[in-house]
Each structure stands twice: as structure tokens, then as C-alpha cells.
Amino acid sequence: MAKNQNPEHTEGPVASAIEEQTAKLPSDIFLWSALGSMAVSLFLQYQGSKNRSLFVGQWAAPFLLLGLYNKIVKLEGHD
């Protein structure tokens, strides 16, 4: 784990606590969540619920971003 090279920019206790807990989650959860939201979106589209389909389909990108953040925290650690 690398030390924080810039002591002026440290994380608060809430961010550190969240990162410590989320680092325990396997990264696969976020990938499967993204794929699941795409599958549910496809099903809703097939059922004719276009607005709901678009709403649920937009969850995939945030799940993937959360997975990326989780992976970075696991590799680089937190302050």
C-alpha cells in the first residue's frame, strides 16, 4: 500500500469507512449486477414497458463504475 504523497488531500472518516467495507465485496458482484440490469431491461422492453426498460438499462454503467472504483480501492488501498 502506498503512502499518501499529498497530506493536504486526505479522505474523511466516512469515505475511509465506506472504502474499507466495500473492499471486502468481490468485484464480480458489480459485473453480475450490470449484466442483470441489462437482462431485466431487455425483458421489460419485450413486455412493452419502454420507460421502465430504459430506466433499468441505465443502471449498468453505474454498476460498472462502482466495480472499477472497488477494484482501484483493492489495488491501491485508501488513505
Side-chain angles (χ1 to χ4, degrees):
M1 220 183 306
K3 273 289 220 192
N4 185 1
Q5 299 298 324
N6 191 352
E8 294 177 10
H9 298 124
T10 59
E11 295 182 6
V14 175
S16 294
I18 290 171
E19 288 178 356
E20 188 174 322
Q21 295 304 313
T22 57
K24 296 176 184 176
L25 294 172
S27 298
D28 289 357
I29 287 176
F30 298 103
L31 178 61
W32 287 111
S33 298
L35 292 172
S37 71
M38 288 186 270
V40 170
S41 176
L42 181 63
F43 174 76
L44 290 171
Q45 187 78 23
Y46 177 74
Q47 293 294 320
S49 299
K50 185 175 181 181
N51 288 335
R52 288 183 184 178
S53 170
L54 292 174
F55 177 70
V56 173
Q58 291 178 353
W59 295 353
F63 283 138
L64 293 173
L65 287 171
L66 287 169
L68 180 61
Y69 179 76
N70 185 27
K71 185 63 99 175
I72 290 172
V73 168
K74 283 182 180 180
L75 294 176
E76 299 295 326
H78 58 81
D79 293 344

